[in-house]
């Protein structure tokens, strides 16, 4: 009997590599995908293509949704979609020897709505050392660019046909201006005496503080 094929581990699946020239999206791919009538299938098609393109750039990528299927009269039918909290993809990449976290939303619509930018801002507001990537297949308004500039963390809006250049774009931004992300600090104090706090929980006065350990996550632009 031939030896059994080894089942890939979850980590191997997440970091699976593809040939970038073979998987990058073309105009023909976009036109064909837009012809898909089922909205869910159209969105899934965009996400799957994005995963291939990102992994081909050595960017660790995970899909958040899991489709649970059941067999009904010889056909597989969708039973449930596990919620993703608004995030379609997430992962990490190493930029200038620093590990950077990222989250992404995928929108296969003719026009990218401004509300998507606001939603991404909200998702990033509690995630230190994390940038956002919005992957779309249609058009975007000029207003979106100004909305991105006011975000506390960097948001990269990228058409699927240009996604094969996203790593270069992020690296260029890191070198020229630095990557903008939310910074978060955790402070551990062993002992405090006669401490006063303001309404935001910040220490305003203390007679004695012993053994303070401060950790910071995230970074700010140069």
């Amino acid at each position: 009997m031939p030896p059994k094929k080894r089942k890939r581990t979850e980590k191997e699946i997440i970091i699976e590599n593809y040939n970038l020239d073979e998987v990058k999206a073309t105009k023909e791919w976009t036109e064909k995908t837009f012809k898909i009538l089922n909205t869910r299938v159209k969105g899934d098609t965009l996400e799957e293509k994005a995963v291939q393109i990102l992994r081909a750039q050595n960017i660790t990528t995970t899909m958040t949704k899991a489709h649970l299927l059941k067999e009904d009269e010889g056909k597989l039918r969708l039973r449930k979609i596990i919620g993703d909290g608004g995030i379609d993809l997430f992962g990490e990449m190493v930029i200038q020897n620093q590990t950077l976290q990222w989250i992404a939303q995928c929108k296969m619509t003719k026009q990218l709505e401004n509300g998507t930018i606001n939603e991404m801002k909200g998702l990033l507001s509690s995630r230190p050392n994390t940038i956002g990537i919005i992957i779309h297949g249609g058009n975007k308004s000029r207003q979106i660019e100004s909305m991105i500039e006011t975000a506390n963390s960097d948001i990269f809006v990228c058409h699927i046909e240009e996604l094969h250049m996203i790593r270069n774009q992020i690296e260029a931004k890191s070198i020229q201006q630095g990557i903008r992300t939310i910074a978060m600090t955790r402070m551990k104090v062993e002992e405090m005496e006669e401490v006063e706090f303001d309404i935001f929980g910040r220490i305003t006065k203390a007679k004695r503080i012993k053994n303070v350990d401060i950790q910071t996550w995230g970074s700010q632009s140069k």
Side-chain angles (χ1 to χ4, degrees), residues 8 20 25 46 49 59 115 117 126 129 131 160 165 168 170:
R8 292 183 301 166
L20 190 57
L46 175 63
K49 172 59 74 171
I59 298 174
I117 306 300
S126 60
N129 192 40
I131 62 170
I160 186 63
M165 299 185 291
N168 292 338
I170 296 172

Side-chain angles (χ1 to χ4, degrees), residues 16 51 68 117 120 140 148 150 157 161 186 192 201:
E16 181 178 11
V51 167
L68 304 181
I117 306 300
M120 179 59 77
K140 64 177 181 178
I148 291 172
T150 61
V157 177
E161 294 171 20
R186 177 186 295 169
M192 294 189 294

Side-chain angles (χ1 to χ4, degrees), residues 31-222:
E31 292 175 348
K32 181 180 178 181
T33 303
F34 266 123
K35 292 178 180 178
I36 299 174
L37 299 179
N38 186 299
T39 303
R40 181 184 62 79
V41 174
K42 186 186 301 182
D44 287 352
T45 302
L46 175 63
E47 292 178 21
E48 291 166 3
K49 172 59 74 171
V51 167
Q52 295 175 0
I53 297 171
L54 291 167
R55 289 178 179 171
Q57 296 172 80
N58 197 29
I59 298 174
T60 303
T61 306
T62 305
M63 297 181 71
T64 61
K65 287 193 297 188
H67 294 179
L68 304 181
L69 303 176
K70 68 175 182 178
E71 190 169 351
D72 183 12
E73 297 179 356
K75 297 181 180 180
L76 287 176
R77 299 181 184 276
L78 182 67
R79 184 177 66 189
K80 180 181 179 183
I81 297 179
I82 297 175
D84 56 19
I87 299 172
D88 297 317
L89 310 173
F90 69 94
E92 61 183 35
M93 65 185 81
V94 178
I95 302 294
Q96 292 188 295
N97 297 320
Q98 296 293 321
T99 300
L100 183 66
Q101 309 294 324
W102 62 270
I103 57 176
Q105 291 180 306
C106 299
K107 303 293 182 181
M108 198 62 186
T109 55
K110 290 293 185 181
Q111 183 71 33
L112 183 62
E113 297 180 357
N114 295 346
T116 301
I117 306 300
N118 290 327
E119 184 179 3
M120 179 59 77
K121 286 182 178 181
L123 292 169
L124 291 170
S125 64
S126 60
R127 291 176 168 82
N129 192 40
T130 304
I131 62 170
I133 303 175
I134 296 175
I135 304 165
H136 66 106
N139 299 316
K140 64 177 181 178
S141 66
R142 293 181 180 180
Q143 186 181 1
I144 283 180
E145 295 300 328
S146 61
M147 294 176 67
I148 291 172
E149 292 176 0
T150 61
N152 292 323
S153 299
D154 275 325
I155 299 174
F156 295 84
V157 177
C158 191
H159 194 280
I160 186 63
E161 294 171 20
E162 299 173 350
L163 189 60
H164 60 281
M165 299 185 291
I166 189 65
R167 172 179 276 279
N168 292 338
Q169 294 174 12
I170 296 172
E171 288 179 342
K173 176 69 165 50
S174 177
I175 294 171
Q176 296 169 10
Q177 299 172 287
I179 296 296
R180 187 173 68 250
T181 65
I182 291 290
M184 188 173 293
T185 301
R186 177 186 295 169
M187 182 173 68
K188 181 179 179 181
V189 181
E190 182 177 313
E191 186 178 334
M192 294 189 294
E193 183 179 343
E194 296 183 19
V195 181
E196 295 181 8
F197 301 89
D198 63 13
I199 60 173
F200 301 105
R202 296 174 297 196
I203 298 174
T204 58
K205 183 179 179 181
K207 181 178 180 180
R208 185 170 68 93
I209 299 178
K210 180 181 178 181
N211 294 342
V212 179
D213 180 22
I214 298 177
Q215 295 179 314
T216 300
W217 294 266
S219 59
Q220 300 296 323
S221 57
K222 297 177 181 177

